Every structure is written in C-alpha cells, then in structure tokens.
C-alpha cells in the first residue's frame, strides 16, 4: 500500500508518500506560504529535488500541485493517483473524543471541528487539509492520527489541574499532552528492544526537539506527560517557557502594559532557551556560544538539562520505578552532551553512561553501560511512518484484504 501522509499547518503542508510494505519514503516535500504566494519543494527519492514558486491561494491548490509533482512524467514517482491507497492526516488535537486513530467520515470531521477551540491555530488547518485531499481524491480512504490520543490513558490524578472542577466539566480544561504519535512509536520500539512488550513495564520517553516533552509509559500506556492543556507547558523549549507560575503572566502584562494574549505570545515565541540565552533556539548555536564562554548560553543549557532531569525523576516517582529511558527527536537523537548532562542527574537511579556509545548520533543505540541499573537508549522517532502504520492498520481493519503490511509496532 502507498500511504500519503499529510501534516497541514495554517500556511504550510508537509507530506510524505510511504510504501507501507518496505516502509520506505517514495517522495516527500513541503508547500509553504499557502495563501500568501506559494512554494513547493518536492523530493522524490533517488531523483532530483524540484522547487516550484507557484501561486497557492489555498490548501486545495497546494495539494493539487503536490499530486501533480507525484505523478509528473519526468520527476514523478507514481503513474497516476490510483497508486495512492490511503491518506493519513496528522491532527493536533483530539480532545477527549479521540483516544485512537479513526477512519475519517463526516461525523469524525464534525468531532474534530468541535476540538477547534482547544487548538485554534492547528485544528482548523488540519481540517482544511482533509477537505482539500477529499476534494481531489474522493474515493481514497483517509485516517486521522491525533497528537493527543496516546495520552488519553492518563489517570485523573495526572490530567486534572487543581482548579474548580466545573472548569473541567464545562470547558474541558485539563492536561492533554502532545507528541503522542512520537511517544507511542518510540515507547513501542523501546519495549520491543528490552523484550517487555507483553509484560509489566515502566519506561520514560524524552522527546527533545524544538518542542520537547517527557512521557511516563506504564505497561505500554501513557500515564503522565509534561505538556499540558497546550504545548506550552512542561520542559523549557526552543522558544517556549515551559511550566511557569501563572501569576507571572498577569504581573508581566501589568509591567509591560501588554494584553494577556501578548504575554502568552512572549511565552510561546520569545522565551525558552532563546529568551534566556539571547543567542538562539537551536541547541547547536547554544553549544557553540557556550564553548566560546557565553554564560547565558551555558545557563540556558543547564536549565534545560535540570528541568528534563526533574521530569524524569518525577515520573520515576509516579510509576514507582523505571526499566528503561529513551531519548528521541532532534536534540535527543543528536546531542550527546545534553543526554549526558541529563543522565548525570540520574546517578541515584544507578544509571551509568557508556561515553563511547553516547558519542553516536542519530542512530538506535544503547548508551548505558552493561551494569547500569536502568537501560538508556537513543531511538530515532519517525512520526510520518507511525502515521502510515496507523493508517494502513485501520484501512485494512475496514476492508477484506489480507494484511500485506509490516505490522511491527503498529499502534494498536
Ligand atoms: P522540531 O520540534 O521542530 O521537529 P527537531 O526535533 O528537529 O525540532 O529538533 C530541533 C533541535 O534539534 C535543534 O535545537 C537542533 O539543535 C537539534 N538538532 C537537530 N538535528 C541535529 C543534528 N544533526 N545535530 C545536532 N543537533 C541537531
């Protein structure tokens, strides 16, 4: 099966076409500046990259250019649209309605729309992406895969905030958590590696990228996670503050004579390691600045490691133990210094790091020593592949075809 994986933003659309049997990417690319002017960057595997500056007044036009590029006689990768068997859509917020991926129909679209309130920047764009694909591929089955779904197994004591219960009942104010597709993918792989897929297990996943979150996974289910009602909560991130005393918001609004909305924007876009260092949100720049003696860059890196270690420690307490820990995403996969700095806080768990293994980047590897009491791994995440697997599994569930897919790790 060929699965077209779509990740739609308000002015962008990222896509991959994945062969579900070999799990190879056939082509991938990005439409940018939709509704402004428009640029398509299309990368067919094994062929030349194509960059096209073309007017993209809306997402439907953008999708039509992508489909044209996929089927192009020269640089295309498929003969015609009949070679696309299913479409998997990444949806940011499924609220409490979606604890699993679902085949998209009108009812599902209406339910996603009801979650718009919870993710006003993302869900409407995701819905536009679905409509655009439906208009151009009306007979192709489509699946919605939610960033929040994996965390719907959290118990009440983890997801409720200490505010009047009414606000949970009336407005659904609670912790949802995000990066669920990645946490699910990496935790399944970790359990497979440590041979605990069908046993009692306690693992912690550190998804450290531009946006970062830590998740506690007990017996394969998310039981707590560091992001909250929105992705602003938890760890200190590239430009996001992470957890902060909410009274600071009002205090800053008064001092700066700005609205609450504006202060929240500062916490989302001008804070985190960028705001602290004044250098960059990218950890490569921070490492370089720190090496040159920039104290604020060093402070930002230290704060990031400290907060990450705090979350790991708190989840060890939540689960009353931990069997293994995995690092993933841009920083987790590539920044050995940061992994070491976080693990240095965890000596009390009996964790010791194998420096040589930890120097490896971007590969699946065990970075703890043989006698470490808790195994520590680097496991590259692949959200698009996870979406493709979910899509195939669901489409097959609702068809009579034999299962031709590599079901290893399928999220069910
Ligand atoms: P996003 O949340 O936008 O997907 P990523 O997971 O790509 O972010 O993470 C971005 C961070 O990962 C940056 O701070 C960057 O320093 C780091 N990173 C990404 N790739 C590399 C690499 N090859 N080497 C070192 N650091 C990297």
């Amino acid at each position: 099966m060929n699965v077209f994986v779509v990740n739609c933003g308000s002015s962008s659309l990222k896509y991959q076409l994945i062969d579900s049997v070999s799990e190879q990417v056939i082509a991938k690319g990005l439409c940018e500046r939709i509704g402004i002017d428009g640029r398509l960057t299309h990368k067919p595997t094994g062929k030349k990259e194509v960059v096209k500056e073309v007017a993209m007044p809306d997402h439907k036009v953008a999708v039509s250019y992508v489909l044209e590029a996929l089927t192009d006689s020269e640089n295309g990768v498929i003969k015609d649209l009949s070679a696309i068997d299913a479409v998997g859509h990444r949806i940011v917020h499924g609220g409490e309605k979606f604890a699993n991926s679902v085949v998209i129909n009108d009812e599902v679209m209406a339910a996603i729309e009801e979650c718009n309130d919870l993710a006003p920047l993302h869900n409407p764009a995701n819905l536009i992406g679905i409509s655009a694909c439906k208009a151009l591929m009306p007979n192709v089955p489509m699946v919605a895969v939610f960033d929040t779904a994996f965390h719907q197994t959290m118990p009440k004591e983890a997801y409720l905030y200490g505010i009047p219960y009414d606000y949970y009942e009336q407005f659904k104010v609670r912790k949802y958590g995000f990066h669920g597709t990645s946490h699910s993918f990496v935790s399944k792989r970790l359990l497979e590696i440590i041979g605990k897929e069908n046993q009692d297990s306690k693992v912690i996943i550190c998804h450290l990228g531009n946006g970062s979150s830590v998740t506690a996974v007990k017996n394969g289910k998310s039981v707590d996670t560091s992001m909250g009602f929105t992705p602003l909560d938890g760890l200190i991130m590239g430009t996001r503050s992470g957890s902060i005393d909410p009274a600071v918001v009002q205090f800053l609004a008064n001092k700066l004579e700005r609205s609450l909305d504006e202060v929240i924007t500062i916490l989302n876009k001008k804070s985190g390691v960028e705001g602290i260092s004044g250098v960059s949100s990218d950890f490569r720049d921070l490492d370089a600045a720190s090496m040159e003696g920039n104290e604020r860059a060093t402070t930002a890196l230290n704060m990031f490691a400290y907060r990450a270690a705090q979350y790991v420690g708190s989840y060890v307490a939540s689960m009353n133990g931990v069997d293994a820990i995995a690092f993933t995403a841009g920083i987790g996969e590539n920044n050995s210094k940061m992994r070491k700095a976080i693990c240095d806080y965890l000596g009390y768990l009996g964790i010791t790091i194998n420096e040589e293994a930890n120097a490896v980047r971007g590969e699946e590897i065990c970075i703890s020593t043989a006698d470490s009491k808790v195994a520590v791994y680097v496991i590259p995440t692949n959200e698009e592949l996870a979406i493709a697997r979910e899509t195939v599994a669901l489409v097959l569930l609702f068809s009579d075809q034999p299962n031709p897919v590599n079901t290893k790790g399928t999220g069910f």
Side-chain angles (χ1 to χ4, degrees):
M1 261 181 136
N2 290 333
V3 184
F4 185 49
V5 175
V6 179
N7 180 356
C8 224
S10 54
S11 67
S12 71
L13 186 154
K14 288 188 210 149
Y15 63 92
Q16 288 195 4
L17 185 65
I18 296 177
D19 174 344
S20 70
V21 177
S22 65
E23 300 204 322
Q24 297 300 308
V25 175
I26 302 168
K28 63 179 178 180
L30 166 70
C31 296
E32 294 167 280
R33 300 177 61 83
I34 301 169
I36 306 165
D37 36 34
R39 181 195 300 124
L40 166 70
T41 308
H42 178 69
K43 298 178 184 171
T45 306
K47 294 187 180 181
K48 231 178 100 211
E49 177 176 307
V50 182
V51 180
K52 254 187 184 173
E53 309 271 346
V54 275
M56 293 178 183
D58 58 40
H59 286 74
K60 189 173 162 197
V61 176
V63 176
S64 72
Y65 280 119
V66 173
L67 299 180
E68 208 175 283
L70 288 170
T71 52
D72 182 71
S73 56
E74 210 175 303
N75 284 306
V77 287
I78 49 175
K79 204 161 143 268
D80 55 45
L81 290 186
S82 68
I84 296 179
D85 300 297
V87 183
H89 290 271
R90 177 193 177 207
I91 310 293
V92 167
H93 219 305
E96 289 189 328
K97 290 178 196 297
F98 297 102
N100 281 301
S101 306
V102 284
V103 174
I104 297 171
N105 57 24
D106 290 347
E107 206 183 329
V108 166
M109 286 185 72
I112 296 173
E113 199 172 343
E114 280 173 37
C115 301
N116 279 2
D117 208 18
L118 298 170
L121 295 178
H122 294 99
N123 271 31
N126 298 156
L127 280 165
I128 290 171
I130 296 174
S131 300
C133 288
K134 276 185 138 199
L136 296 161
M137 294 175 275
N139 299 317
V140 179
M142 308 215 177
V143 168
V145 180
F146 300 89
D147 265 18
T148 49
F150 183 59
H151 302 300
Q152 278 298 300
T153 47
M154 285 188 289
K156 260 193 173 166
E157 58 270 27
Y159 73 70
L160 283 182
Y161 293 127
I163 57 176
Y165 196 77
D166 265 5
Y167 304 148
Y168 165 60
E169 289 192 314
Q170 274 193 59
F171 311 123
K172 296 286 171 228
V173 176
R174 51 159 284 178
K175 177 189 282 198
Y176 290 99
F178 298 86
H179 291 143
T181 313
S182 175
H183 286 295
S184 165
F185 180 85
V186 174
S187 61
K188 280 190 182 70
R189 180 67 195 131
L190 179 59
L191 291 177
E192 210 172 76
I193 297 172
I194 63 170
K196 284 206 163 204
E197 285 163 288
N198 303 311
Q199 296 175 33
D200 286 352
S201 58
K202 298 165 181 175
V203 299
I204 296 173
I205 311 302
C206 303
H207 176 113
L208 310 179
N210 215 0
S212 294
S213 63
V214 178
T215 295
V217 182
K218 195 171 178 185
N219 303 334
K221 293 188 161 64
S222 169
V223 289
D224 206 348
T225 192
S226 60
M227 283 180 169
F229 179 64
T230 72
L232 179 56
D233 201 5
L235 298 179
I236 294 167
M237 305 178 219
T239 62
R240 289 177 228 158
S241 64
S243 307
I244 191 169
D245 180 343
V248 170
V249 178
Q250 190 197 29
F251 182 85
L252 280 181
N254 290 340
K255 285 284 177 200
L256 299 171
E257 296 181 7
R258 304 267 191 103
S259 68
L260 293 180
D261 276 2
E262 285 173 313
V263 175
I264 293 293
T265 301
I266 292 171
L267 296 184
N268 265 310
K269 304 227 159 118
K270 304 260 178 233
S271 300
V273 291
E274 180 174 296
I276 296 152
S277 66
V279 172
S280 168
S281 62
D282 192 301
F283 278 57
R284 286 166 285 203
D285 301 336
L286 291 173
D287 276 335
S290 171
M291 295 278 276
E292 283 166 12
N294 184 317
E295 272 183 37
R296 274 168 55 187
T298 306
T299 303
L301 291 166
N302 290 344
M303 289 170 71
F304 183 88
Y306 178 73
R307 183 81 65 100
Q310 278 188 317
Y311 270 100
V312 172
S314 76
Y315 292 158
V316 174
S318 301
M319 296 192 289
N320 196 8
V322 62
D323 301 317
I325 296 171
F327 287 99
T328 195
I331 299 160
E333 291 169 30
N334 295 294
N335 194 322
S336 41
K337 260 194 193 165
M338 183 51 70
R339 291 194 298 252
K340 174 82 170 60
I342 295 168
C343 290
D344 279 349
Y345 281 104
L346 307 172
Y348 70 99
L349 292 172
I351 289 179
T352 45
I353 293 300
N354 173 342
E355 304 267 350
E356 202 180 312
N358 189 39
V360 172
R361 304 162 70 148
E363 274 177 37
E364 184 175 292
I365 189 164
C366 175
I367 59 167
S368 51
T369 58
D371 60 354
S372 178
K373 292 225 166 53
V374 177
V376 184
Y377 284 84
V378 172
I379 301 180
T381 192
N382 189 337
E383 286 166 285
E384 290 79 14
L385 177 57
I387 292 172
R389 285 180 180 171
E390 295 264 324
T391 302
V392 170
L394 266 184
V395 168
L396 290 174
L397 201 65
F398 290 95
S399 76
D400 298 316
Q401 292 176 45
N403 186 344
V405 74
N406 171 7
T407 50
K408 207 169 67 167
T410 298
F412 288 92

